């Protein structure tokens, strides 16, 4: 007499689980956090201090 699997899935169920609500909510929260950081802290992070001299100032410095 062989063993019988009592917890066998019913017909039509694959049993792989997929993503699930927790994983989807986690991904959405992660995307929202990244977007908020880009909007609020983005200018401070990506704004590099550049020299605001014009091209004419550069030419005058070369000529002088």
């Amino acid at each position: 007499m062989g063993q019988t699997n009592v917890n066998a899935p019913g017909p039509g169920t694959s049993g792989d689980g997929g993503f699930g609500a927790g994983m989807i909510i986690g991904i959405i929260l992660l995307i929202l956090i990244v977007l908020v950081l880009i909007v609020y802290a983005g200018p401070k992070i990506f704004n590099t201090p550049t020299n605001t001299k014009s091209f004419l100032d550069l030419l005058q410095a070369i000529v002088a």
Side-chain angles (χ1 to χ4, degrees):
M1 190 172 207
Q3 286 184 330
T4 303
N5 189 358
V6 180
N7 296 322
T13 59
S14 62
D16 61 352
F19 275 115
M23 180 71 88
I24 294 172
I25 291 172
I27 291 172
I28 291 173
L29 283 176
L30 185 65
I31 291 172
L32 286 175
I33 290 171
V34 169
L35 287 176
V36 166
L37 285 176
I38 288 174
V39 168
Y40 286 114
K44 295 177 186 174
I45 295 172
F46 298 113
N47 190 7
T48 57
T50 57
N51 196 354
T52 57
K53 289 186 177 179
S54 66
F55 184 69
L56 291 175
D57 291 336
L58 181 63
L59 287 178
Q60 288 176 353
I62 291 173
V63 172

